[in-house]
Amino acid sequence: MAKPYNQVVLFGDSLFQQASQVQDGFSFQGALQNECIRYLDVINRGFSGYNTKNALELLPQIFLPPSPSNPKIEYLLVLLGANDACLPIPTNTQGVPIGQYKENLIKIITHGHIKAHNPKILLVTPPPVDEIQLKELDLSVGHKQATRQAAVSAAYSETARKVAAEIPGVVLIDLHKAIMDKAISLTADFDASGPPLGHPEGKRGALEQLLPDGLHMSGEAYKAFFDIVKPHIGPFPEGQAVFPDWRVLNPGTL
């Protein structure tokens, strides 16, 4: 029987779907796989456009209980909320009310198909949005207003923080804070007494390079994401990879 590798699973929306891409010379999924090489497989289950309602409905088809032919999930990263935070406007139906968003997140990370694997769960806050850029792009494709607001998206990130604090054993990965901190550090003339970056009454600052379309992340932003995830993966015991080291298979070789 084939010997399966256990898994690190990235479960979420386009922010995980696009994590497989190489941008600016960096791939989040590639970097994470490099950390886990020979110990775990990194599996991407990012679905562009999904909200927590969609993810919860399809979860039983996406995750099966562990079995001899179905690898165990050792780590589960959940990143959902960027689409839940869409405004309830006539031209967009992705939004999920914030109370329902919280309930859905809890149901996802406590679902029986997830608990069967007993993974280490890393709950990721949705990153900030650059409402200034989003409004321009949304208007250009026919919306009458921006589909998302920076302040509303920040409230969904705060809700994810609360869920992580309420569920024992869940690790918070505060991507919203990491991206904002990075943007502030790269914006030479940032004024902390003024409006936050990306808010309509303020300016884009370095969010322009971290969130090029106002929503999705650049390679530099994914690198900042990886830096806060990496400490929570491993360490892996030397000599206990799934398959033996080549020196074990070829004894006597220097």
Side-chain angles (χ1 to χ4, degrees):
M1 180 181 293
K3 192 174 184 180
Y5 282 73
N6 288 346
Q7 298 176 342
V8 179
V9 177
L10 313 178
F11 185 43
D13 52 34
S14 60
L15 294 168
F16 266 153
Q17 181 174 316
Q18 295 184 12
S20 64
Q21 299 175 2
V22 178
Q23 299 186 61
D24 309 318
F26 183 79
S27 165
F28 176 89
Q29 185 174 340
L32 189 56
Q33 182 62 78
N34 186 62
E35 286 296 309
C36 304
I37 201 71
R38 299 194 61 169
Y39 291 92
L40 301 170
D41 280 344
V42 177
I43 305 299
N44 194 316
R45 292 294 179 265
F47 302 94
S48 178
Y50 276 33
N51 55 32
T52 53
K53 178 177 179 290
N54 307 143
L56 184 58
E57 287 175 351
L58 292 174
L59 189 150
Q61 300 175 54
I62 297 169
F63 297 104
L64 300 176
S67 70
S69 60
N70 187 40
K72 181 180 183 294
I73 300 171
E74 297 280 357
Y75 297 87
L76 176 66
L77 283 70
V78 178
L79 172 50
L80 290 159
N83 299 313
D84 297 71
C86 285
L87 302 176
I89 61 176
T91 51
N92 187 292
T93 60
Q94 289 174 288
V96 172
I98 198 164
Q100 188 63 54
Y101 168 67
K102 182 179 182 181
E103 291 181 21
N104 290 346
L105 270 186
I106 293 172
K107 288 178 181 178
I108 287 169
I109 61 181
T110 61
H111 195 282
H113 284 218
I114 300 298
K115 292 176 70 174
H117 291 265
N118 192 31
K120 181 176 181 178
I121 296 175
L122 280 59
L123 181 57
V124 186
T125 62
V129 299
D130 177 0
E131 187 179 341
I132 301 168
Q133 173 70 354
L134 276 178
K135 183 177 182 180
E136 180 180 328
L137 294 177
D138 287 341
L139 292 177
S140 73
V141 298
H143 297 289
K144 300 300 183 182
Q145 65 177 87
T147 57
R148 297 168 175 84
Q149 291 178 346
V152 172
S153 293
Y156 279 70
S157 295
E158 179 60 26
T159 297
R161 294 185 189 105
K162 291 177 180 178
V163 171
E166 291 174 11
I167 307 298
V170 172
V171 175
L172 173 67
I173 303 295
D174 202 337
L175 180 58
H176 187 281
K177 182 178 185 301
I179 297 300
M180 286 301 291
D181 287 350
K182 182 74 171 177
I184 290 169
S185 73
L186 295 172
T187 304
D189 58 350
F190 174 72
D191 181 2
S193 65
L197 296 176
H199 284 237
E201 63 275 17
K203 61 183 179 180
R204 299 183 68 193
L207 286 181
E208 185 172 358
Q209 67 194 65
L210 298 173
L211 306 170
D213 66 358
L215 175 65
H216 298 100
M217 299 194 296
S218 67
E220 189 174 8
Y222 275 113
K223 178 62 167 62
F225 184 16
F226 176 72
D227 287 343
I228 60 173
V229 167
K230 181 180 176 181
H232 300 284
I233 306 294
F236 302 108
E238 187 175 350
Q240 295 185 32
V242 176
F243 291 98
D245 184 81
W246 67 272
R247 293 174 182 83
V248 175
L249 300 176
N250 299 276
T253 303
L254 292 178

